[in-house]
Amino acid sequence: MILCIAQVLPPDLLADIVRRLEDARFVDGARTAGWHARLVKANEQLSSADAAHADLVRRINDAVEGHPLFQIAARPKAVRPVMISRYTAGMEYGTHVDDAMMGGIRTDISFTLFLGDPATYDGGELVMEGTGGEQAYKLDAGSMILYPSGALHRVEPVTRGARLAAVGWAQSLVRDPGKREILFDLDTARRAIFQQQGKTAEFDLISKSTANLMRLWAEP
């Protein structure tokens, strides 16, 4: 399942993050890539030694993990601290798949949180590759896309301006992506029923099924 979530970062927080990144120290992004991904990764990442790094990462992670759509789509067991990346003119990240394990967690779900206004740079689309073809994504600043970590994807070359984004990974309580999608659909349906009709018998039945499927599928 690929899911786009709008306005994960409120405007004031987004503006503060972008402002602080203007003078931040970035380093070669290939340092954190796997041995094969280094061949196609040409970007920069916020240095962990930068004075703003810890605070910005914490605030972004808090916003992502606290978003209700992220919670019901990812069912997160653990979430890695985000990496803040920058692509300037000529930079790109060729076709790759994310490492299966990072920092001791299994990567089930990847996410890219766009930090820059898409009007300020050309190129830089996140392209998901699949059996049905390719789909390119270039979201508004503050919006996020979730996608399976096992999917091939790339970042198109930036030809003007700078593309700023935070990328991260989560291990889910539910390993199978098809099962996560079923749970997401059920949860979305029951929330819609509750919003429109309140706590009905139908709401209770869907809630029961959602909870019992979690009992069957969750890996605590």
Side-chain angles (χ1 to χ4, degrees):
M1 182 174 69
I2 296 175
L3 179 67
C4 296
I5 305 176
Q7 298 178 334
V8 172
L9 295 180
D12 56 342
L13 174 56
L14 176 63
D16 185 53
I17 290 170
V18 173
R19 178 186 60 80
R20 294 176 68 184
L21 289 175
E22 289 177 357
D23 300 320
R25 178 190 171 199
F26 283 78
V27 297
D28 183 1
R31 295 181 182 181
T32 58
W35 62 269
H36 53 91
R38 291 193 191 102
L39 301 175
V40 295
K41 186 176 185 181
N43 70 357
E44 299 174 317
Q45 288 170 192
L46 180 63
S47 171
S48 60
D50 188 90
H53 179 272
D55 183 57
L56 294 182
V57 167
R58 177 188 60 79
R59 295 170 75 188
I60 292 172
N61 268 86
D62 286 348
V64 170
E65 295 181 54
H67 198 285
L69 275 181
F70 176 79
Q71 285 292 322
I72 65 172
R75 309 275 168 175
K77 178 179 181 179
V79 181
R80 288 275 296 154
V82 298
M83 293 193 296
I84 299 174
S85 64
R86 180 173 70 186
Y87 294 75
T88 55
M91 293 184 176
E92 63 181 304
Y93 198 162
T95 298
H96 64 285
V97 63
D98 294 336
D99 287 343
M101 298 295 296
M102 292 187 189
I105 74 166
R106 185 186 67 238
T107 57
D108 296 318
I109 299 157
S110 302
F111 58 88
T112 296
L113 175 60
F114 290 80
L115 300 175
D117 182 342
T120 63
Y121 64 98
D122 293 332
E125 294 85 358
L126 174 66
V127 179
M128 305 302 302
E129 303 180 13
T131 56
E134 298 182 346
Q135 180 67 49
Y137 298 89
K138 188 175 181 180
L139 305 185
D140 291 336
S143 297
M144 179 173 70
I145 178 171
L146 274 63
Y147 49 97
S149 297
L152 287 171
H153 57 284
R154 66 180 188 271
V155 176
E156 291 284 73
V158 171
T159 58
R160 177 187 66 88
R163 176 194 192 266
L164 289 172
V167 295
W169 300 267
Q171 178 174 336
S172 178
L173 289 165
V174 180
R175 181 194 299 252
D176 186 278
K179 293 175 180 177
R180 287 199 303 272
E181 185 169 358
I182 291 171
L183 290 167
F184 177 79
D185 289 345
L186 286 172
D187 223 334
T188 300
R190 79 185 187 106
R191 287 166 187 260
I193 290 173
F194 188 84
Q195 186 175 20
Q196 295 169 13
Q197 304 174 27
K199 190 177 181 298
T200 64
E202 293 78 11
F203 171 85
D204 288 341
L205 284 173
I206 295 177
S207 296
K208 172 188 172 184
S209 295
T210 303
N212 287 335
L213 286 174
M214 276 295 292
R215 290 187 179 94
L216 284 173
W217 295 339
E219 301 176 3

